[in-house]
Amino acid sequence: MDWVEAGLLRDFLFVVTAAFAVHVVAQTRRIVGTKTLFYFLLGRYNRPLVEERIFLLTDIVGSTAMAERLGDTRALELISRFFFDISADIGRYDGETDNYIGDEVVVSWPLGTPAHNAGALLCYLDIQRTIARTQHLYSEEYGESIAIRAGLHGGPVAVGECGDEKRQVVFIGDTINTAKRLQEACKELGVSILVSGGLLDRTDVPAEVETVPLGAIKLRGRSTETRIFTFKMK
């Protein structure tokens, strides 16, 4: 009888330990993302690397005024709800959610073939469809509507792990800065998204997407001009 009880105790402890380990891995994956966790385990970014990536930066229009009307807690609830709602759109096109910064989400993809790069454009359009489909829910529950501005650009960036107690994969370089400047320029130009001509040159624009050239402008902090476009569904 003793060996039976010892065996049951051993099996019980094994199951509890295994369940705890699975729970920790699952929660870690949710916190840092599946691909990022995989990169950490492989040690891919222990030393900085240079990669070519596409960045889509989106932020919510009027989020400061929204927080004043709703209060910080309710505004955060709405922003979190919005991020949750668009997560399926990002995953559908294999986008990697790299960071949330206040009301802004940073999504990236490896810069690849022209056909592959088209996924970033389609991801943005699906996000806009999701906003249109869920807008009445935001209005009913929070009395607010959601609109976004976005910048889309691709090119080389330096990628590496930063931090000690809390490790994070960080992107540094002109590419992500350009995507941010494009996002900021949306307000002045009265559009919801701007994409660089350099990225479009490397992208097979889907037949259902209409691109609109807006000329060349000097983005904030730049000495040279950048060709810019906006786009929408035909």
Side-chain angles (χ1 to χ4, degrees), residues 82 85-86 89 92-93 118-138 146 148 192 206-210 231-234:
F82 169 66
D85 289 341
I86 67 173
D89 302 318
R92 187 176 303 116
Y93 297 97
L121 279 66
L122 295 173
C123 177
Y124 166 79
L125 292 173
D126 272 12
I127 288 173
Q128 289 288 23
R129 291 191 190 97
T130 294
I131 292 173
R133 187 176 65 251
T134 57
Q135 196 72 266
H136 71 284
L137 299 175
Y138 305 142
I146 292 287
I148 62 171
S192 61
E208 66 269 28
V209 175
E210 178 184 358
F231 62 90
K232 59 186 178 180
M233 294 292 297
K234 290 182 178 178

PDB file of all heavy atoms in Angstrom, residues 82 85-86 89 92-93 118-138 146 148 192 206-210 231-234:
ATOM      1  N   PHE A  82     -10.251  47.871 -28.071  1.00  0.00           N
ATOM      2  CA  PHE A  82      -9.906  48.078 -29.481  1.00  0.00           C
ATOM      3  C   PHE A  82      -8.714  47.218 -29.883  1.00  0.00           C
ATOM      4  O   PHE A  82      -8.737  46.556 -30.922  1.00  0.00           O
ATOM      5  CB  PHE A  82      -9.613  49.556 -29.729  1.00  0.00           C
ATOM      6  CG  PHE A  82      -8.997  49.830 -31.066  1.00  0.00           C
ATOM      7  CD1 PHE A  82      -9.710  49.613 -32.231  1.00  0.00           C
ATOM      8  CD2 PHE A  82      -7.692  50.296 -31.172  1.00  0.00           C
ATOM      9  CE1 PHE A  82      -9.149  49.855 -33.488  1.00  0.00           C
ATOM     10  CE2 PHE A  82      -7.122  50.542 -32.403  1.00  0.00           C
ATOM     11  CZ  PHE A  82      -7.858  50.322 -33.564  1.00  0.00           C
ATOM     12  N   ASP A  85      -9.834  43.746 -30.315  1.00  0.00           N
ATOM     13  CA  ASP A  85     -10.663  43.552 -31.505  1.00  0.00           C
ATOM     14  C   ASP A  85      -9.832  43.427 -32.779  1.00  0.00           C
ATOM     15  O   ASP A  85     -10.215  42.700 -33.703  1.00  0.00           O
ATOM     16  CB  ASP A  85     -11.666  44.701 -31.649  1.00  0.00           C
ATOM     17  CG  ASP A  85     -12.764  44.662 -30.596  1.00  0.00           C
ATOM     18  OD1 ASP A  85     -12.973  43.588 -29.990  1.00  0.00           O
ATOM     19  OD2 ASP A  85     -13.414  45.698 -30.365  1.00  0.00           O
ATOM     20  N   ILE A  86      -8.717  44.141 -32.867  1.00  0.00           N
ATOM     21  CA  ILE A  86      -7.929  44.113 -34.105  1.00  0.00           C
ATOM     22  C   ILE A  86      -6.832  43.054 -34.085  1.00  0.00           C
ATOM     23  O   ILE A  86      -6.128  42.878 -35.078  1.00  0.00           O
ATOM     24  CB  ILE A  86      -7.312  45.491 -34.408  1.00  0.00           C
ATOM     25  CG1 ILE A  86      -6.254  45.871 -33.367  1.00  0.00           C
ATOM     26  CG2 ILE A  86      -8.399  46.551 -34.520  1.00  0.00           C
ATOM     27  CD1 ILE A  86      -5.486  47.142 -33.719  1.00  0.00           C
ATOM     28  N   ASP A  89      -7.062  40.601 -36.909  1.00  0.00           N
ATOM     29  CA  ASP A  89      -6.653  41.148 -38.206  1.00  0.00           C
ATOM     30  C   ASP A  89      -5.138  41.095 -38.357  1.00  0.00           C
ATOM     31  O   ASP A  89      -4.614  40.760 -39.427  1.00  0.00           O
ATOM     32  CB  ASP A  89      -7.122  42.602 -38.345  1.00  0.00           C
ATOM     33  CG  ASP A  89      -8.624  42.740 -38.202  1.00  0.00           C
ATOM     34  OD1 ASP A  89      -9.346  41.893 -38.757  1.00  0.00           O
ATOM     35  OD2 ASP A  89      -9.074  43.679 -37.533  1.00  0.00           O
ATOM     36  N   ARG A  92      -4.077  37.468 -38.819  1.00  0.00           N
ATOM     37  CA  ARG A  92      -4.489  36.914 -40.114  1.00  0.00           C
ATOM     38  C   ARG A  92      -3.402  37.088 -41.167  1.00  0.00           C
ATOM     39  O   ARG A  92      -3.255  36.259 -42.072  1.00  0.00           O
ATOM     40  CB  ARG A  92      -5.779  37.586 -40.565  1.00  0.00           C
ATOM     41  CG  ARG A  92      -6.414  36.992 -41.825  1.00  0.00           C
ATOM     42  CD  ARG A  92      -7.751  37.658 -42.137  1.00  0.00           C
ATOM     43  NE  ARG A  92      -8.650  37.532 -41.013  1.00  0.00           N
ATOM     44  CZ  ARG A  92      -9.125  38.578 -40.298  1.00  0.00           C
ATOM     45  NH1 ARG A  92      -8.758  39.813 -40.593  1.00  0.00           N
ATOM     46  NH2 ARG A  92      -9.945  38.380 -39.289  1.00  0.00           N
ATOM     47  N   TYR A  93      -2.634  38.163 -41.049  1.00  0.00           N
ATOM     48  CA  TYR A  93      -1.567  38.441 -42.021  1.00  0.00           C
ATOM     49  C   TYR A  93      -0.176  38.230 -41.419  1.00  0.00           C
ATOM     50  O   TYR A  93       0.811  38.770 -41.927  1.00  0.00           O
ATOM     51  CB  TYR A  93      -1.718  39.860 -42.567  1.00  0.00           C
ATOM     52  CG  TYR A  93      -3.012  40.027 -43.330  1.00  0.00           C
ATOM     53  CD1 TYR A  93      -4.138  40.573 -42.715  1.00  0.00           C
ATOM     54  CD2 TYR A  93      -3.125  39.584 -44.645  1.00  0.00           C
ATOM     55  CE1 TYR A  93      -5.336  40.700 -43.398  1.00  0.00           C
ATOM     56  CE2 TYR A  93      -4.324  39.706 -45.338  1.00  0.00           C
ATOM     57  CZ  TYR A  93      -5.432  40.263 -44.706  1.00  0.00           C
ATOM     58  OH  TYR A  93      -6.623  40.379 -45.390  1.00  0.00           O
ATOM     59  N   ALA A 118       2.420  42.728 -49.546  1.00  0.00           N
ATOM     60  CA  ALA A 118       1.047  43.213 -49.708  1.00  0.00           C
ATOM     61  C   ALA A 118       0.198  42.948 -48.474  1.00  0.00           C
ATOM     62  O   ALA A 118      -0.814  43.631 -48.242  1.00  0.00           O
ATOM     63  CB  ALA A 118       0.406  42.562 -50.930  1.00  0.00           C
ATOM     64  N   GLY A 119       0.597  41.977 -47.651  1.00  0.00           N
ATOM     65  CA  GLY A 119      -0.175  41.655 -46.452  1.00  0.00           C
ATOM     66  C   GLY A 119      -0.299  42.821 -45.494  1.00  0.00           C
ATOM     67  O   GLY A 119      -1.316  42.956 -44.800  1.00  0.00           O
ATOM     68  N   ALA A 120       0.709  43.692 -45.448  1.00  0.00           N
ATOM     69  CA  ALA A 120       0.647  44.839 -44.543  1.00  0.00           C
ATOM     70  C   ALA A 120      -0.466  45.798 -44.958  1.00  0.00           C
ATOM     71  O   ALA A 120      -1.167  46.359 -44.110  1.00  0.00           O
ATOM     72  CB  ALA A 120       1.995  45.554 -44.516  1.00  0.00           C
ATOM     73  N   LEU A 121      -0.636  46.008 -46.270  1.00  0.00           N
ATOM     74  CA  LEU A 121      -1.716  46.868 -46.759  1.00  0.00           C
ATOM     75  C   LEU A 121      -3.071  46.258 -46.429  1.00  0.00           C
ATOM     76  O   LEU A 121      -3.983  46.943 -45.955  1.00  0.00           O
ATOM     77  CB  LEU A 121      -1.597  47.080 -48.273  1.00  0.00           C
ATOM     78  CG  LEU A 121      -0.612  48.131 -48.785  1.00  0.00           C
ATOM     79  CD1 LEU A 121       0.833  47.732 -48.490  1.00  0.00           C
ATOM     80  CD2 LEU A 121      -0.793  48.352 -50.283  1.00  0.00           C
ATOM     81  N   LEU A 122      -3.196  44.951 -46.686  1.00  0.00           N
ATOM     82  CA  LEU A 122      -4.467  44.278 -46.435  1.00  0.00           C
ATOM     83  C   LEU A 122      -4.792  44.232 -44.952  1.00  0.00           C
ATOM     84  O   LEU A 122      -5.969  44.325 -44.562  1.00  0.00           O
ATOM     85  CB  LEU A 122      -4.421  42.860 -47.012  1.00  0.00           C
ATOM     86  CG  LEU A 122      -4.286  42.787 -48.538  1.00  0.00           C
ATOM     87  CD1 LEU A 122      -4.088  41.338 -48.983  1.00  0.00           C
ATOM     88  CD2 LEU A 122      -5.514  43.388 -49.218  1.00  0.00           C
ATOM     89  N   CYS A 123      -3.765  44.109 -44.108  1.00  0.00           N
ATOM     90  CA  CYS A 123      -3.981  44.118 -42.665  1.00  0.00           C
ATOM     91  C   CYS A 123      -4.610  45.442 -42.232  1.00  0.00           C
ATOM     92  O   CYS A 123      -5.585  45.462 -41.464  1.00  0.00           O
ATOM     93  CB  CYS A 123      -2.661  43.886 -41.941  1.00  0.00           C
ATOM     94  SG  CYS A 123      -2.779  43.971 -40.137  1.00  0.00           S
ATOM     95  N   TYR A 124      -4.064  46.547 -42.711  1.00  0.00           N
ATOM     96  CA  TYR A 124      -4.620  47.859 -42.361  1.00  0.00           C
ATOM     97  C   TYR A 124      -6.082  47.963 -42.806  1.00  0.00           C
ATOM     98  O   TYR A 124      -6.938  48.456 -42.049  1.00  0.00           O
ATOM     99  CB  TYR A 124      -3.806  48.970 -43.008  1.00  0.00           C
ATOM    100  CG  TYR A 124      -4.511  50.301 -42.969  1.00  0.00           C
ATOM    101  CD1 TYR A 124      -4.528  51.066 -41.806  1.00  0.00           C
ATOM    102  CD2 TYR A 124      -5.193  50.778 -44.086  1.00  0.00           C
ATOM    103  CE1 TYR A 124      -5.209  52.270 -41.753  1.00  0.00           C
ATOM    104  CE2 TYR A 124      -5.871  51.982 -44.044  1.00  0.00           C
ATOM    105  CZ  TYR A 124      -5.876  52.723 -42.880  1.00  0.00           C
ATOM    106  OH  TYR A 124      -6.562  53.914 -42.834  1.00  0.00           O
ATOM    107  N   LEU A 125      -6.391  47.502 -44.017  1.00  0.00           N
ATOM    108  CA  LEU A 125      -7.766  47.591 -44.508  1.00  0.00           C
ATOM    109  C   LEU A 125      -8.707  46.724 -43.677  1.00  0.00           C
ATOM    110  O   LEU A 125      -9.854  47.107 -43.413  1.00  0.00           O
ATOM    111  CB  LEU A 125      -7.816  47.182 -45.981  1.00  0.00           C
ATOM    112  CG  LEU A 125      -7.112  48.154 -46.942  1.00  0.00           C
ATOM    113  CD1 LEU A 125      -7.074  47.580 -48.352  1.00  0.00           C
ATOM    114  CD2 LEU A 125      -7.797  49.519 -46.941  1.00  0.00           C
ATOM    115  N   ASP A 126      -8.236  45.562 -43.234  1.00  0.00           N
ATOM    116  CA  ASP A 126      -9.062  44.716 -42.367  1.00  0.00           C
ATOM    117  C   ASP A 126      -9.290  45.383 -41.007  1.00  0.00           C
ATOM    118  O   ASP A 126     -10.362  45.253 -40.405  1.00  0.00           O
ATOM    119  CB  ASP A 126      -8.415  43.346 -42.184  1.00  0.00           C
ATOM    120  CG  ASP A 126      -8.822  42.366 -43.275  1.00  0.00           C
ATOM    121  OD1 ASP A 126      -9.407  42.822 -44.280  1.00  0.00           O
ATOM    122  OD2 ASP A 126      -8.560  41.157 -43.136  1.00  0.00           O
ATOM    123  N   ILE A 127      -8.278  46.080 -40.501  1.00  0.00           N
ATOM    124  CA  ILE A 127      -8.456  46.826 -39.251  1.00  0.00           C
ATOM    125  C   ILE A 127      -9.554  47.876 -39.421  1.00  0.00           C
ATOM    126  O   ILE A 127     -10.415  48.041 -38.534  1.00  0.00           O
ATOM    127  CB  ILE A 127      -7.130  47.477 -38.824  1.00  0.00           C
ATOM    128  CG1 ILE A 127      -6.150  46.414 -38.315  1.00  0.00           C
ATOM    129  CG2 ILE A 127      -7.362  48.532 -37.738  1.00  0.00           C
ATOM    130  CD1 ILE A 127      -4.756  46.940 -38.026  1.00  0.00           C
ATOM    131  N   GLN A 128      -9.561  48.560 -40.548  1.00  0.00           N
ATOM    132  CA  GLN A 128     -10.603  49.560 -40.789  1.00  0.00           C
ATOM    133  C   GLN A 128     -11.985  48.908 -40.893  1.00  0.00           C
ATOM    134  O   GLN A 128     -12.979  49.463 -40.424  1.00  0.00           O
ATOM    135  CB  GLN A 128     -10.293  50.353 -42.063  1.00  0.00           C
ATOM    136  CG  GLN A 128      -9.123  51.310 -41.939  1.00  0.00           C
ATOM    137  CD  GLN A 128      -9.447  52.526 -41.070  1.00  0.00           C
ATOM    138  OE1 GLN A 128     -10.345  52.511 -40.230  1.00  0.00           O
ATOM    139  NE2 GLN A 128      -8.707  53.602 -41.274  1.00  0.00           N
ATOM    140  N   ARG A 129     -12.048  47.719 -41.489  1.00  0.00           N
ATOM    141  CA  ARG A 129     -13.332  47.003 -41.537  1.00  0.00           C
ATOM    142  C   ARG A 129     -13.797  46.627 -40.131  1.00  0.00           C
ATOM    143  O   ARG A 129     -14.988  46.714 -39.817  1.00  0.00           O
ATOM    144  CB  ARG A 129     -13.199  45.744 -42.396  1.00  0.00           C
ATOM    145  CG  ARG A 129     -13.005  45.993 -43.875  1.00  0.00           C
ATOM    146  CD  ARG A 129     -13.166  44.678 -44.641  1.00  0.00           C
ATOM    147  NE  ARG A 129     -12.751  44.818 -46.031  1.00  0.00           N
ATOM    148  CZ  ARG A 129     -11.563  44.480 -46.500  1.00  0.00           C
ATOM    149  NH1 ARG A 129     -10.655  43.970 -45.676  1.00  0.00           N
ATOM    150  NH2 ARG A 129     -11.265  44.627 -47.770  1.00  0.00           N
ATOM    151  N   THR A 130     -12.864  46.188 -39.311  1.00  0.00           N
ATOM    152  CA  THR A 130     -13.225  45.833 -37.935  1.00  0.00           C
ATOM    153  C   THR A 130     -13.746  47.051 -37.186  1.00  0.00           C
ATOM    154  O   THR A 130     -14.728  46.963 -36.431  1.00  0.00           O
ATOM    155  CB  THR A 130     -12.006  45.243 -37.209  1.00  0.00           C
ATOM    156  OG1 THR A 130     -11.657  44.001 -37.821  1.00  0.00           O
ATOM    157  CG2 THR A 130     -12.295  45.005 -35.733  1.00  0.00           C
ATOM    158  N   ILE A 131     -13.105  48.198 -37.365  1.00  0.00           N
ATOM    159  CA  ILE A 131     -13.571  49.425 -36.711  1.00  0.00           C
ATOM    160  C   ILE A 131     -14.997  49.738 -37.146  1.00  0.00           C
ATOM    161  O   ILE A 131     -15.870  50.039 -36.314  1.00  0.00           O
ATOM    162  CB  ILE A 131     -12.629  50.600 -37.038  1.00  0.00           C
ATOM    163  CG1 ILE A 131     -11.270  50.391 -36.372  1.00  0.00           C
ATOM    164  CG2 ILE A 131     -13.248  51.922 -36.579  1.00  0.00           C
ATOM    165  CD1 ILE A 131     -10.222  51.414 -36.780  1.00  0.00           C
ATOM    166  N   ALA A 132     -15.256  49.657 -38.447  1.00  0.00           N
ATOM    167  CA  ALA A 132     -16.602  49.951 -38.947  1.00  0.00           C
ATOM    168  C   ALA A 132     -17.627  48.970 -38.383  1.00  0.00           C
ATOM    169  O   ALA A 132     -18.765  49.361 -38.047  1.00  0.00           O
ATOM    170  CB  ALA A 132     -16.608  49.899 -40.468  1.00  0.00           C
ATOM    171  N   ARG A 133     -17.232  47.700 -38.253  1.00  0.00           N
ATOM    172  CA  ARG A 133     -18.160  46.672 -37.778  1.00  0.00           C
ATOM    173  C   ARG A 133     -18.457  46.790 -36.287  1.00  0.00           C
ATOM    174  O   ARG A 133     -19.551  46.464 -35.823  1.00  0.00           O
ATOM    175  CB  ARG A 133     -17.566  45.296 -38.091  1.00  0.00           C
ATOM    176  CG  ARG A 133     -18.506  44.138 -37.799  1.00  0.00           C
ATOM    177  CD  ARG A 133     -17.901  42.812 -38.218  1.00  0.00           C
ATOM    178  NE  ARG A 133     -16.711  42.473 -37.448  1.00  0.00           N
ATOM    179  CZ  ARG A 133     -15.473  42.493 -37.934  1.00  0.00           C
ATOM    180  NH1 ARG A 133     -15.244  42.859 -39.190  1.00  0.00           N
ATOM    181  NH2 ARG A 133     -14.452  42.148 -37.172  1.00  0.00           N
ATOM    182  N   THR A 134     -17.477  47.267 -35.501  1.00  0.00           N
ATOM    183  CA  THR A 134     -17.635  47.316 -34.045  1.00  0.00           C
ATOM    184  C   THR A 134     -17.912  48.720 -33.505  1.00  0.00           C
ATOM    185  O   THR A 134     -18.089  48.887 -32.309  1.00  0.00           O
ATOM    186  CB  THR A 134     -16.371  46.767 -33.354  1.00  0.00           C
ATOM    187  OG1 THR A 134     -15.233  47.529 -33.790  1.00  0.00           O
ATOM    188  CG2 THR A 134     -16.141  45.302 -33.704  1.00  0.00           C
ATOM    189  N   GLN A 135     -17.991  49.695 -34.413  1.00  0.00           N
ATOM    190  CA  GLN A 135     -18.147  51.079 -33.969  1.00  0.00           C
ATOM    191  C   GLN A 135     -19.380  51.282 -33.092  1.00  0.00           C
ATOM    192  O   GLN A 135     -19.345  51.997 -32.083  1.00  0.00           O
ATOM    193  CB  GLN A 135     -18.222  52.006 -35.195  1.00  0.00           C
ATOM    194  CG  GLN A 135     -17.995  53.469 -34.905  1.00  0.00           C
ATOM    195  CD  GLN A 135     -16.549  53.776 -34.574  1.00  0.00           C
ATOM    196  OE1 GLN A 135     -16.195  53.802 -33.393  1.00  0.00           O
ATOM    197  NE2 GLN A 135     -15.707  53.988 -35.578  1.00  0.00           N
ATOM    198  N   HIS A 136     -20.480  50.621 -33.445  1.00  0.00           N
ATOM    199  CA  HIS A 136     -21.710  50.803 -32.662  1.00  0.00           C
ATOM    200  C   HIS A 136     -21.554  50.269 -31.238  1.00  0.00           C
ATOM    201  O   HIS A 136     -22.186  50.790 -30.302  1.00  0.00           O
ATOM    202  CB  HIS A 136     -22.893  50.121 -33.358  1.00  0.00           C
ATOM    203  CG  HIS A 136     -22.845  48.621 -33.310  1.00  0.00           C
ATOM    204  ND1 HIS A 136     -22.011  47.870 -34.115  1.00  0.00           N
ATOM    205  CD2 HIS A 136     -23.537  47.728 -32.543  1.00  0.00           C
ATOM    206  CE1 HIS A 136     -22.191  46.588 -33.862  1.00  0.00           C
ATOM    207  NE2 HIS A 136     -23.098  46.473 -32.904  1.00  0.00           N
ATOM    208  N   LEU A 137     -20.695  49.261 -31.056  1.00  0.00           N
ATOM    209  CA  LEU A 137     -20.472  48.728 -29.716  1.00  0.00           C
ATOM    210  C   LEU A 137     -19.699  49.724 -28.851  1.00  0.00           C
ATOM    211  O   LEU A 137     -19.997  49.902 -27.672  1.00  0.00           O
ATOM    212  CB  LEU A 137     -19.712  47.403 -29.796  1.00  0.00           C
ATOM    213  CG  LEU A 137     -20.414  46.280 -30.569  1.00  0.00           C
ATOM    214  CD1 LEU A 137     -19.505  45.058 -30.681  1.00  0.00           C
ATOM    215  CD2 LEU A 137     -21.728  45.914 -29.883  1.00  0.00           C
ATOM    216  N   TYR A 138     -18.678  50.372 -29.429  1.00  0.00           N
ATOM    217  CA  TYR A 138     -17.941  51.396 -28.698  1.00  0.00           C
ATOM    218  C   TYR A 138     -18.871  52.545 -28.314  1.00  0.00           C
ATOM    219  O   TYR A 138     -18.796  53.085 -27.206  1.00  0.00           O
ATOM    220  CB  TYR A 138     -16.782  51.941 -29.539  1.00  0.00           C
ATOM    221  CG  TYR A 138     -15.820  50.905 -30.043  1.00  0.00           C
ATOM    222  CD1 TYR A 138     -15.258  51.012 -31.310  1.00  0.00           C
ATOM    223  CD2 TYR A 138     -15.443  49.814 -29.255  1.00  0.00           C
ATOM    224  CE1 TYR A 138     -14.357  50.074 -31.779  1.00  0.00           C
ATOM    225  CE2 TYR A 138     -14.553  48.875 -29.721  1.00  0.00           C
ATOM    226  CZ  TYR A 138     -14.013  48.999 -30.992  1.00  0.00           C
ATOM    227  OH  TYR A 138     -13.129  48.071 -31.451  1.00  0.00           O
ATOM    228  N   ILE A 146     -14.194  55.297 -32.565  1.00  0.00           N
ATOM    229  CA  ILE A 146     -12.770  55.055 -32.785  1.00  0.00           C
ATOM    230  C   ILE A 146     -12.400  55.435 -34.212  1.00  0.00           C
ATOM    231  O   ILE A 146     -13.081  55.059 -35.172  1.00  0.00           O
ATOM    232  CB  ILE A 146     -12.421  53.575 -32.546  1.00  0.00           C
ATOM    233  CG1 ILE A 146     -12.567  53.205 -31.067  1.00  0.00           C
ATOM    234  CG2 ILE A 146     -11.011  53.260 -33.036  1.00  0.00           C
ATOM    235  CD1 ILE A 146     -11.476  53.752 -30.178  1.00  0.00           C
ATOM    236  N   ILE A 148      -8.479  55.965 -36.472  1.00  0.00           N
ATOM    237  CA  ILE A 148      -7.042  55.802 -36.335  1.00  0.00           C
ATOM    238  C   ILE A 148      -6.300  56.577 -37.414  1.00  0.00           C
ATOM    239  O   ILE A 148      -6.855  56.916 -38.464  1.00  0.00           O
ATOM    240  CB  ILE A 148      -6.617  54.318 -36.395  1.00  0.00           C
ATOM    241  CG1 ILE A 148      -6.979  53.691 -37.748  1.00  0.00           C
ATOM    242  CG2 ILE A 148      -7.211  53.538 -35.247  1.00  0.00           C
ATOM    243  CD1 ILE A 148      -6.408  52.300 -37.954  1.00  0.00           C
ATOM    244  N   SER A 192      -6.153  58.931 -43.293  1.00  0.00           N
ATOM    245  CA  SER A 192      -6.050  57.998 -42.170  1.00  0.00           C
ATOM    246  C   SER A 192      -4.800  57.139 -42.240  1.00  0.00           C
ATOM    247  O   SER A 192      -4.401  56.532 -41.245  1.00  0.00           O
ATOM    248  CB  SER A 192      -7.285  57.093 -42.099  1.00  0.00           C
ATOM    249  OG  SER A 192      -7.395  56.324 -43.285  1.00  0.00           O
ATOM    250  N   PRO A 206      -2.505  44.768 -54.188  1.00  0.00           N
ATOM    251  CA  PRO A 206      -3.634  43.916 -54.579  1.00  0.00           C
ATOM    252  C   PRO A 206      -4.610  44.648 -55.497  1.00  0.00           C
ATOM    253  O   PRO A 206      -4.746  45.871 -55.431  1.00  0.00           O
ATOM    254  CB  PRO A 206      -4.292  43.579 -53.225  1.00  0.00           C
ATOM    255  CG  PRO A 206      -3.192  43.744 -52.221  1.00  0.00           C
ATOM    256  CD  PRO A 206      -2.368  44.877 -52.728  1.00  0.00           C
ATOM    257  N   ALA A 207      -5.282  43.884 -56.332  1.00  0.00           N
ATOM    258  CA  ALA A 207      -6.189  44.470 -57.317  1.00  0.00           C
ATOM    259  C   ALA A 207      -7.309  45.273 -56.670  1.00  0.00           C
ATOM    260  O   ALA A 207      -7.808  46.248 -57.256  1.00  0.00           O
ATOM    261  CB  ALA A 207      -6.768  43.363 -58.196  1.00  0.00           C
ATOM    262  N   GLU A 208      -7.702  44.881 -55.462  1.00  0.00           N
ATOM    263  CA  GLU A 208      -8.815  45.563 -54.795  1.00  0.00           C
ATOM    264  C   GLU A 208      -8.389  46.822 -54.056  1.00  0.00           C
ATOM    265  O   GLU A 208      -9.230  47.515 -53.463  1.00  0.00           O
ATOM    266  CB  GLU A 208      -9.519  44.620 -53.816  1.00  0.00           C
ATOM    267  CG  GLU A 208      -8.693  44.166 -52.624  1.00  0.00           C
ATOM    268  CD  GLU A 208      -7.932  42.893 -52.862  1.00  0.00           C
ATOM    269  OE1 GLU A 208      -7.586  42.623 -54.019  1.00  0.00           O
ATOM    270  OE2 GLU A 208      -7.696  42.162 -51.882  1.00  0.00           O
ATOM    271  N   VAL A 209      -7.093  47.148 -54.095  1.00  0.00           N
ATOM    272  CA  VAL A 209      -6.577  48.312 -53.385  1.00  0.00           C
ATOM    273  C   VAL A 209      -6.284  49.441 -54.372  1.00  0.00           C
ATOM    274  O   VAL A 209      -5.621  49.232 -55.395  1.00  0.00           O
ATOM    275  CB  VAL A 209      -5.300  47.964 -52.603  1.00  0.00           C
ATOM    276  CG1 VAL A 209      -4.697  49.210 -51.957  1.00  0.00           C
ATOM    277  CG2 VAL A 209      -5.602  46.909 -51.539  1.00  0.00           C
ATOM    278  N   GLU A 210      -6.784  50.622 -54.054  1.00  0.00           N
ATOM    279  CA  GLU A 210      -6.511  51.807 -54.865  1.00  0.00           C
ATOM    280  C   GLU A 210      -5.520  52.703 -54.131  1.00  0.00           C
ATOM    281  O   GLU A 210      -5.795  53.150 -53.020  1.00  0.00           O
ATOM    282  CB  GLU A 210      -7.801  52.590 -55.128  1.00  0.00           C
ATOM    283  CG  GLU A 210      -7.580  53.868 -55.919  1.00  0.00           C
ATOM    284  CD  GLU A 210      -8.845  54.687 -56.087  1.00  0.00           C
ATOM    285  OE1 GLU A 210      -9.914  54.228 -55.613  1.00  0.00           O
ATOM    286  OE2 GLU A 210      -8.764  55.788 -56.673  1.00  0.00           O
ATOM    287  N   PHE A 231      -4.090  54.971 -49.394  1.00  0.00           N
ATOM    288  CA  PHE A 231      -4.767  53.933 -50.153  1.00  0.00           C
ATOM    289  C   PHE A 231      -6.076  53.555 -49.496  1.00  0.00           C
ATOM    290  O   PHE A 231      -6.328  53.857 -48.309  1.00  0.00           O
ATOM    291  CB  PHE A 231      -3.880  52.698 -50.351  1.00  0.00           C
ATOM    292  CG  PHE A 231      -3.468  52.009 -49.072  1.00  0.00           C
ATOM    293  CD1 PHE A 231      -4.231  50.990 -48.523  1.00  0.00           C
ATOM    294  CD2 PHE A 231      -2.295  52.358 -48.424  1.00  0.00           C
ATOM    295  CE1 PHE A 231      -3.846  50.340 -47.372  1.00  0.00           C
ATOM    296  CE2 PHE A 231      -1.888  51.715 -47.263  1.00  0.00           C
ATOM    297  CZ  PHE A 231      -2.672  50.709 -46.735  1.00  0.00           C
ATOM    298  N   LYS A 232      -6.932  52.920 -50.273  1.00  0.00           N
ATOM    299  CA  LYS A 232      -8.258  52.508 -49.797  1.00  0.00           C
ATOM    300  C   LYS A 232      -8.746  51.350 -50.669  1.00  0.00           C
ATOM    301  O   LYS A 232      -8.129  51.014 -51.686  1.00  0.00           O
ATOM    302  CB  LYS A 232      -9.234  53.680 -49.902  1.00  0.00           C
ATOM    303  CG  LYS A 232      -9.384  54.224 -51.317  1.00  0.00           C
ATOM    304  CD  LYS A 232     -10.250  55.468 -51.364  1.00  0.00           C
ATOM    305  CE  LYS A 232     -10.331  56.012 -52.786  1.00  0.00           C
ATOM    306  NZ  LYS A 232     -11.183  57.235 -52.864  1.00  0.00           N
ATOM    307  N   MET A 233      -9.864  50.767 -50.279  1.00  0.00           N
ATOM    308  CA  MET A 233     -10.488  49.736 -51.106  1.00  0.00           C
ATOM    309  C   MET A 233     -11.149  50.386 -52.315  1.00  0.00           C
ATOM    310  O   MET A 233     -11.709  51.465 -52.214  1.00  0.00           O
ATOM    311  CB  MET A 233     -11.543  48.962 -50.303  1.00  0.00           C
ATOM    312  CG  MET A 233     -10.979  48.146 -49.159  1.00  0.00           C
ATOM    313  SD  MET A 233      -9.975  46.744 -49.737  1.00  0.00           S
ATOM    314  CE  MET A 233     -11.187  45.767 -50.611  1.00  0.00           C
ATOM    315  N   LYS A 234     -11.048  49.725 -53.472  1.00  0.00           N
ATOM    316  CA  LYS A 234     -11.719  50.238 -54.677  1.00  0.00           C
ATOM    317  C   LYS A 234     -13.221  50.117 -54.533  1.00  0.00           C
ATOM    318  O   LYS A 234     -13.724  49.225 -53.869  1.00  0.00           O
ATOM    319  CB  LYS A 234     -11.240  49.480 -55.906  1.00  0.00           C
ATOM    320  CG  LYS A 234      -9.801  49.784 -56.299  1.00  0.00           C
ATOM    321  CD  LYS A 234      -9.414  49.048 -57.549  1.00  0.00           C
ATOM    322  CE  LYS A 234      -7.990  49.396 -57.984  1.00  0.00           C
ATOM    323  NZ  LYS A 234      -7.576  48.651 -59.187  1.00  0.00           N
TER     324      LYS A 234
END
